[in-house]
Amino acid sequence: MLKVLLARHRLTYFKLAIKHWTTPCHVYNLAHGKQPHGQKDSDICHDLLDMKIVHRHHHSQDLNHYKMD
């Protein structure tokens, strides 16, 4: 939890946690490389991409981790 409180995007992590009914730690972990499992995690990752907090590498082979509209 300390890493979340000290993070630059901590307010965004808390807002996304409320929006998706999860914990800020879970959002933080997804933003820092945890593999998404399920639709909720994919939605959180999509929001993180839209907010430009995380970026997909162009050379990534697994494009199913994030849904792109």
Side-chain angles (χ1 to χ4, degrees):
M1 183 67 165
L2 183 61
K3 288 183 179 183
V4 175
L5 294 175
L6 298 176
R8 182 174 65 175
H9 299 293
R10 66 185 161 270
L11 293 177
T12 303
Y13 298 148
F14 277 89
K15 288 177 187 177
L16 286 176
I18 291 168
K19 177 181 176 183
H20 294 284
W21 291 90
T22 190
T23 64
C25 290
H26 186 70
V27 176
Y28 174 88
N29 289 334
L30 288 170
H32 288 88
K34 181 182 176 200
Q35 295 297 318
H37 298 285
Q39 187 60 43
K40 182 193 287 191
D41 287 359
S42 292
D43 292 343
I44 294 169
C45 290
H46 186 73
D47 286 345
L48 289 167
L49 280 168
D50 287 345
M51 295 175 174
K52 298 190 184 338
I53 292 174
V54 297
H55 304 280
R56 183 184 314 178
H57 295 286
H58 294 287
H59 62 276
S60 175
Q61 296 298 314
D62 192 354
L63 299 178
N64 294 322
H65 283 165
Y66 306 111
K67 65 177 187 177
M68 300 300 287
D69 293 333

